[in-house]
Structures are given as C-alpha cells and as structure tokens.
C-alpha cells in the first residue's frame, strides 16, 4: 500500500518532458530512465549543499507509485534528509504535470546518498566549508 503526498516536498531541481525514446516495451517510461533523472536532480541538490563536486554512493527506498506516460512534464523535487561528515542524503520526489489541466500527481520517490569530493576525487568534509550554511 503506497502513501501519496498531496503536495511536493522540497524545491524543483530538474524538469523535463518524457519522450518516446525512453519507453519500456509496453509504452510507458522505463523506470531506469526515471531513476537517472532523479540521480541528476539529487546531484544538483547535493552540489548546492556541498558547494562542489559530488558522486552518488548509494540509492535507497525507491518507490514507483504510478506509471509515467510519454509526453508528461516531469519535475524532480529535492530536499535534504541528512548531512553527515562527507555525505548528503537527498529525498527526490518525481511529480508529473498534465499538459492541459496542469494538475500534478506524484509518481515516484527515493533517497539518494552523495559523497562530497575534492579536486583530486577524494572524499571531503561537507560542513568544514565556511561558505556552507545549513
Ligand atoms: C564515494 C566514495 C568516494 C566513498 O569512498 P569510501 O572510502 O568508500 O567512503 P566511506 O566508506 O568513508 O563513506 C563515505 C560516506 O558515504 C557514506 N556511505 C558509504 N556507503 C554508503 C551506503 N551504502 N549507504 C549510505 N551511505 C553510505 C558513509 O556513511 C560516509 O558518510 P559520512 O562521511 O557522512 O559519515 C567511493 O566509494 C567511490 O568512489 N564510489 C564510487 C562512486 C561512483 O562512481 N558513483 C557513480 C556510480 S555510476
């Protein structure tokens, strides 16, 4: 039994339109494509939080609530769940908007974990950066 949110949590990190090239054999959008958009949105969020390069270290709690049709406007909403020493856990919700009515419904949510990296690609502390306020 899935619980559906009435309104999105967080802010829009990424928006796009679903295309026929991204469908599964049954004509709906392939779940792996949706997860890739969510990863991009979460990375944009984590980049803002950490003020620098990040990499995905883990994905958890993925829930696919409804199929995603072709031609939908999808919006990935992101919010910070936890900031650790070097990691940021981001909640990503995907909502689709009807082209004509502009009604929005949630289709997917998941938690993505990113690790902050320095210029050499080594993990770095998130909170030791004085420019970051959380
Ligand atoms: C990300 C990476 C640099 C981390 O290096 P590491 O030495 O393994 O780091 P650690 O084990 O100390 O973990 C770093 C942080 O990630 C967290 N973490 C690691 N694995 C995790 C997991 N499975 N779930 C949740 N958090 C995890 C740790 O808790 C830690 O958080 P904290 O510092 O805030 O306490 C390294 O694992 C890596 O390069 N992975 C490949 C990343 C990649 O290529 N991603 C793209 C995939 S296509």
């Amino acid at each position: 039994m899935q619980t559906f949110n009435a309104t999105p949590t967080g802010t829009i990190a990424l928006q796009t339109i679903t295309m026929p090239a991204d469908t599964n054999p049954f004509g709906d959008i392939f779940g792996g494509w949706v997860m890739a958009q969510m990863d991009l949105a979460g990375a944009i969020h984590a980049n803002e939080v950490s003020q620098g390069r990040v990499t995905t270290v883990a994905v958890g709690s993925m829930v696919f609530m409804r199929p995603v049709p072709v031609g939908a406007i999808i919006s990935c909403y992101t919010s910070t769940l936890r900031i650790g020493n070097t990691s940021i856990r981001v909640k990503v919700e995907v909502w689709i908007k009807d082209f004509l009515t502009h009604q929005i419904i949630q289709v997917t949510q998941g938690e993505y974990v990113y690790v902050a990296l320095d210029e050499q690609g080594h993990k770095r502390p998130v909170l030791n950066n004085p420019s970051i306020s959380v």
Side-chain angles (χ1 to χ4, degrees):
M1 180 83 167
Q2 308 298 345
T3 54
F4 296 94
N5 296 324
T7 54
T9 304
T11 54
I12 293 177
L14 183 146
Q15 274 189 312
T16 188
I17 298 174
T18 55
M19 301 293 280
D22 301 310
T23 54
N24 63 28
F26 307 101
D28 289 317
I29 296 300
F30 174 50
W33 181 87
V34 177
M35 290 180 71
Q37 308 312 305
M38 295 170 77
D39 190 17
L40 291 171
I44 290 168
H45 182 102
N47 173 265
E48 282 296 323
V49 170
S50 73
Q51 296 285 299
R53 181 177 165 186
V54 295
T55 189
T56 313
V57 72
V59 181
S61 304
M62 283 296 308
V63 183
F64 293 95
M65 299 152 168
R66 294 183 170 97
V68 179
V70 171
I73 302 168
I74 73 161
S75 304
C76 296
Y77 288 80
T78 57
S79 54
T80 303
L81 289 174
R82 179 179 177 275
I83 298 177
N85 179 32
T86 65
S87 69
I88 305 125
R89 181 178 286 266
V90 182
K91 183 178 184 186
V92 185
E93 294 181 3
V94 182
W95 290 69
I96 58 174
K97 185 193 284 184
D98 185 280
F99 257 109
L100 296 177
T101 66
H102 276 203
Q103 183 190 5
I104 60 171
I105 56 168
Q106 188 179 3
V107 291
T108 304
Q109 68 184 34
E111 294 181 15
Y112 286 66
V113 184
Y114 301 88
V115 171
L117 301 179
D118 63 19
E119 287 167 5
Q120 283 71 48
H122 302 130
K123 61 189 175 187
R124 63 178 166 91
V126 177
L127 293 176
N128 286 0
N129 185 334
S131 66
I132 301 170
S133 59
V134 291

